Amino acid sequence: MSAIKIAENIYAVGVKDPGLAVFDIVMATKYGTTYNSYLIKGTEKTALIDGVKKEFTDEFLSNIEEIIPVDKIDYLIVNHDEPDHSGAIPAILEKNPQIKLFCSASAVPFLKNIINREADITGFKDKATLELGGKTLEFKLMPYMHWPDTMMEYLHEDKILFSNDGFATHFCSDCLYADEVKEDIDHEFFYYFDSIMRPFTAYIRRDMPKLDEYDIRMIAPSHGPIHRQDTAKYLDRYKNWSVDKSEGKNQITIFYASNYGNTKKMAEFFGTQLEKAGYNITLIDAGKLNIDNAREQIETSKAVMIGTPTFNGDAVAPIWNLVNLFSTVYSVGKKAVVFGSYGWSGEGVKLVAARLTGLKLKVFEENFRARLIPSAEEIKEMENYTKKVVDFIG
Ligand code: FEO
């Protein structure tokens, strides 16, 4: 890929990676991806926005040098330190040790650990500006789109939002712009959000209004095609996809796994009791888990209950498969209650509670365990326990 002009004195200088099969270990990328970078020439200063993955450094430098020698660039703006964007930065510094690096304040330590050398680094606060001469960049801190360091910038004169991972797509083709793509780019745009951004929806919901004040005519992300038509559509999608799905639903989902039916009976008992207390209850057998549905249920529930038996000193595999889903959606602070039937020593419940705590859910400190088939006495205890759960969930 060569340097391509996208507006007056603004060039796309990134690279293509059509062979990428998996991104960040977890996301299949059947269309590969691109690592986008943008060069902006003002009348006084020149800025480069973002680098590319290390393996593509030579091609990247060559693209830049079609426009300007690397050692003539004044500023390098680092929107996000993940190595798919920062891998080539040491090579830029090698050629241009005097270049000034700009990033968010929280990115400074990351950046130092990536370049591992002395450099002129400035950490920006929200709304800081940088004047290039007829090109004015305003910086927007957008933490967790996709890392805590992430920022974007709005170029006032050209009305372009350089959005880094935000509004990106893992999609590599000959098309520079989304409106030229023949494939189902909307699906890929959602798939990217679902895989990369969904664990951070609370932050996205909080920060999207920061962009409302700008007249955004073009969105130039760090992966995939540029959006130059109907930019509001892409902004609105992020707003819609990051709403708080649990609001107003009073929903509790009770996930359980059960071999001999005892943990299932406990789940049903708790479900009935909590329904009487006014909650909307959904029971889901983790042994028949539909991943998409389970993720949706976690998001739409104000609290979850997880029932696991203990086999061989551990919780059972379907429950661990379920627990693995909590980090794929925003679940920090979600209230959780753990219970289960057991035969010998009942470690499963404690292990699940500890893991959920590690994932930053708010776990009810008192778990409930019943030995084998819950007795009449244990059922009475479960009634009392339900009252405590109601107090905890609120
Ligand atoms: Fe494209 Fe979070 O890196």
Side-chain angles (χ1 to χ4, degrees):
M1 193 161 132
S2 297
I4 303 172
K5 183 176 172 180
I6 63 168
E8 200 56 36
N9 289 319
I10 305 172
Y11 302 87
V13 292
V15 299
K16 292 179 181 178
D17 186 0
L20 185 78
V22 179
F23 181 78
D24 272 5
I25 305 176
V26 295
M27 179 183 176
T29 47
K30 70 175 178 176
Y31 294 106
T33 195
T34 65
Y35 309 110
N36 301 343
S37 169
Y38 303 96
L39 189 71
I40 306 174
K41 291 181 75 178
T43 54
E44 294 163 23
K45 301 287 185 186
T46 298
L48 179 65
I49 297 179
D50 288 325
V52 303
K53 201 172 179 179
K54 184 179 179 185
E55 290 85 337
F56 299 86
T57 298
D58 289 347
E59 183 186 349
F60 177 48
L61 297 180
S62 162
N63 291 346
I64 293 169
E65 299 226 334
E66 288 178 19
I67 309 300
I68 187 172
V70 171
D71 63 2
K72 299 294 184 213
I73 299 171
D74 299 285
Y75 308 137
L76 172 55
I77 294 162
V78 181
N79 281 321
H80 168 36
D81 282 292
E82 191 166 2
D84 55 331
H85 310 294
S86 63
I89 290 175
I92 299 274
L93 278 166
E94 200 61 42
K95 281 184 166 267
N96 184 349
Q98 304 308 315
I99 197 168
K100 291 181 186 299
L101 299 169
F102 295 116
C103 57
S104 67
S106 61
V108 173
F110 295 154
L111 189 51
K112 285 182 175 171
N113 282 322
I114 282 165
I115 61 176
N116 290 311
R117 59 180 286 169
E118 287 299 312
D120 185 344
I121 303 176
T122 301
F124 279 137
K125 291 184 176 168
D126 200 42
K127 298 195 91 141
T129 58
L130 186 65
E131 183 55 60
L132 305 178
K135 305 274 188 198
T136 311
L137 289 162
E138 181 175 341
F139 296 89
K140 306 305 300 173
L141 268 54
M142 303 295 271
Y144 295 100
M145 271 172 86
H146 151 229
W147 277 13
D149 61 343
T150 304
M151 69 175 187
M152 304 179 180
E153 45 280 325
Y154 180 68
L155 179 55
H156 278 270
E157 290 79 359
D158 298 273
K159 304 184 190 306
I160 300 174
L161 179 71
F162 296 97
S163 59
N164 193 260
D165 278 350
F167 317 109
T169 317
H170 282 315
F171 189 87
C172 179
S173 73
D174 291 333
C175 302
L176 184 64
Y177 299 102
D179 55 272
E180 298 171 334
V181 173
K182 299 289 182 289
E183 290 84 354
D184 187 355
I185 194 71
D186 283 350
H187 176 266
E188 298 308 314
F189 184 80
F190 172 73
Y191 176 51
Y192 180 95
F193 179 93
D194 193 49
S195 306
I196 305 293
M197 297 295 169
R198 196 161 160 187
F200 308 110
T201 48
Y203 299 97
I204 296 170
R205 182 164 68 243
R206 182 194 66 190
D207 288 336
M208 278 300 295
K210 287 185 185 179
L211 302 178
D212 286 349
E213 64 185 279
Y214 303 110
D215 176 13
I216 299 170
R217 302 285 175 86
M218 181 183 283
I219 302 173
S222 62
H223 300 288
I226 294 169
H227 311 292
R228 63 179 173 182
Q229 289 184 0
D230 201 2
T231 52
K233 176 175 79 177
Y234 299 99
L235 300 167
D236 286 346
R237 284 176 180 168
Y238 266 45
K239 284 183 181 171
N240 293 334
W241 294 338
S242 61
V243 295
D244 180 355
K245 294 179 187 172
S246 70
E247 200 169 279
K249 292 197 171 64
N250 212 26
Q251 168 76 30
I252 299 173
T253 301
I254 305 177
F255 297 98
Y256 66 91
S258 195
N259 190 16
Y260 294 109
N262 297 320
T263 301
K264 181 181 181 186
K265 273 186 196 152
M266 294 173 75
E268 289 170 343
F269 183 85
F270 285 131
T272 304
Q273 297 292 306
L274 289 166
E275 209 158 41
K276 283 183 196 164
Y279 297 101
N280 297 310
I281 303 298
T282 302
L283 268 78
I284 294 182
D285 180 348
K288 301 171 185 165
L289 205 63
N290 174 303
I291 289 175
D292 287 340
N293 181 49
R295 294 171 81 209
E296 191 76 15
Q297 284 296 139
I298 294 167
E299 289 180 319
T300 55
S301 298
K302 69 186 296 186
V304 293
M305 292 184 73
I306 298 180
T308 182
T310 297
F311 283 165
N312 301 331
D314 197 2
V316 293
I319 291 297
W320 288 128
N321 292 340
L322 165 72
V323 171
N324 284 338
L325 299 179
F326 280 83
S327 65
T328 73
V329 296
Y330 185 80
S331 59
V332 174
K334 179 88 59 188
K335 290 182 177 173
V337 178
V338 189
F339 65 93
S341 161
Y342 70 104
W344 310 341
S345 45
E347 296 91 341
V349 167
K350 291 179 192 166
L351 292 169
V352 169
R355 175 79 188 283
L356 293 173
T357 302
L359 291 169
K360 298 189 169 60
L361 278 83
K362 190 171 183 185
V363 182
F364 188 36
E365 59 186 16
E366 192 180 331
N367 308 315
F368 193 94
R369 296 184 301 162
R371 194 153 207 169
L372 296 170
I373 301 170
S375 63
E377 191 178 324
E378 283 171 323
I379 288 170
K380 188 73 194 160
E381 284 175 28
M382 285 165 64
E383 261 186 64
N384 292 333
Y385 182 75
T386 308
K387 290 175 191 155
K388 295 182 197 172
V389 167
V390 169
D391 286 344
F392 170 68
I393 293 173

